[in-house]
Amino acid sequence: MANKVALVTGAAAGIGAACAKRLARDGHAIGVLDLDEARCAETVKAIQDAGGQAIALGADVSNRQSVFAAAAKLREAFGPVTILVNNAGVTDFTPFEEITDDRWDFVYAVNVRGPMLCVQAVIKDMKTAHWGRIVNISSSGAQTGAINMITYSSSKGAVITMTRSMAQEFGPDGITVNNIPPGSVMGTIMSEANRDKFQFPTEVLLATLPVRRMGEPNDIANACAWLCLEESSYVTGQTIGVNGGRVVS
Ligand SMILES: NC(=O)c1ccc[n+]([C@@H]2O[C@H](COP(=O)([O-])OP(=O)(O)OC[C@H]3O[C@@H](n4cnc5c(N)ncnc54)[C@H](O)[C@@H]3O)[C@@H](O)[C@H]2O)c1
């Protein structure tokens, strides 16, 4: 497959870093986007050390100007952007009656407005190329619902619905849009910071997972890379569960 240019958000750490490195291995030049450039340095270096191409993009996905400036910088460095992985996200464990307007708006700004803005920033490139791949990282919590996670799980539900609608709108332009709702992926900033807030302790969760292991960032990255292949052109609007069997549908 010819080299493409991929923008991966939240790529300084965790699942986003794994997706960025995996897509670089497939020969794509990567825009490593995260809240500030310095945070992106480790992922950029890992890609370059492995012989790949990457640049750091400091941007807040919830901010229109910031996202468009980052996309322009990436385009200038490597060319039109035809792969987008909307991975940046924030979680929330607020019991329902304690949810504030500010917290709700913040989570929705990052998790829902963020992916929408990132698509707006690169969609013209994809339409011009008559080729594009958009992978949105949602959450298995949106499929099952989760206690104390109404803000987060509903925002990720919006990501799943956004995927379906975008797939229909952009399909005629050769652009596929899919989402991956991860199960519990350990070793990320998000999962390690919130271990004590999970609905079930790890041992209990493990016993319910058919594959009997927790997820790793590369589990998600491998599925993401597959969705970005030429061979996946007939897959769009789908929810590709990578969750060890946590959600079976
Ligand atoms: N880890 C899991 O078990 C799990 C499960 C389900 C869904 N997810 C989803 O997967 C994605 C990645 O999660 P992770 O566990 O790797 O998290 P993480 O916290 O390790 O990484 C998220 C990255 O996004 C960045 N980010 C946050 N807000 C941003 C913003 N406004 N603009 C730009 N970057 C921003 C952070 O700086 C961080 O580097 C998230 O969307 C998350 O909701 C994770």
Side-chain angles (χ1 to χ4, degrees):
M1 184 167 156
N3 289 359
K4 312 271 185 198
V5 179
L7 175 61
V8 183
T9 71
I15 293 169
C19 290
K21 290 179 211 167
R22 182 66 181 74
L23 288 172
R25 251 177 56 199
D26 284 352
H28 306 303
I30 311 295
V32 175
L33 186 151
D34 211 292
L35 280 169
D36 63 66
E37 268 188 44
R39 276 177 60 67
C40 303
E42 209 176 303
T43 306
V44 170
K45 185 172 183 316
I47 291 171
Q48 290 172 342
D49 286 352
Q53 288 180 291
I55 55 163
L57 303 167
D60 176 349
V61 295
S62 68
N63 180 290
R64 176 174 290 275
Q65 263 187 316
S66 173
V67 166
F68 274 68
K73 188 174 166 192
L74 177 58
R75 198 175 291 118
E76 198 180 321
F78 298 126
V81 184
T82 55
I83 297 176
L84 169 64
V85 182
N86 274 315
N87 163 81
V90 288
T91 194
D92 186 81
F93 293 86
T94 310
F96 179 71
E97 285 164 68
E98 294 166 27
I99 296 170
T100 62
D101 294 352
D102 282 351
R103 187 64 195 167
W104 180 273
D105 290 348
F106 168 71
V107 172
Y108 268 69
V110 177
N111 291 0
V112 187
R113 186 166 75 217
M116 183 277 292
L117 288 175
C118 291
V119 172
Q120 279 194 340
V122 299
I123 195 69
K124 279 200 182 82
D125 287 357
M126 295 185 184
K127 285 187 174 178
T128 303
H130 203 75
W131 193 95
R133 295 283 183 271
I134 299 171
V135 180
N136 296 322
I137 305 299
S138 54
S139 173
S140 57
Q143 298 171 294
T144 60
I147 293 170
N148 290 340
M149 296 187 82
I150 287 169
T151 310
Y152 175 77
S153 62
S154 65
S155 74
K156 291 297 191 174
V159 171
I160 295 176
T161 307
M162 195 186 326
T163 300
R164 294 176 180 150
S165 298
M166 285 181 175
Q168 295 184 42
E169 191 159 332
F170 305 145
D173 289 299
I175 300 162
T176 67
V177 192
N178 293 287
N179 79 93
I180 301 173
S184 295
V185 176
M186 306 317 282
T188 74
I189 300 172
M190 187 182 280
S191 54
E192 296 308 317
N194 295 298
R195 258 173 192 269
D196 59 326
K197 303 194 189 99
F198 291 163
Q199 198 171 341
F200 304 108
T202 306
E203 325 76 75
V204 176
L205 191 59
L206 262 182
T208 66
L209 290 179
V211 302
R212 297 289 193 276
R213 72 168 174 84
M214 303 301 273
E216 295 167 11
N218 276 333
D219 292 318
I220 312 304
N222 289 331
C224 175
W226 176 74
L227 285 169
C228 294
L229 292 176
E230 193 57 50
E231 289 83 347
S232 304
S233 62
Y234 209 54
V235 181
T236 196
Q238 301 304 308
T239 298
I240 309 292
V242 181
N243 53 40
R246 175 175 181 235
V247 181
V248 183
S249 61

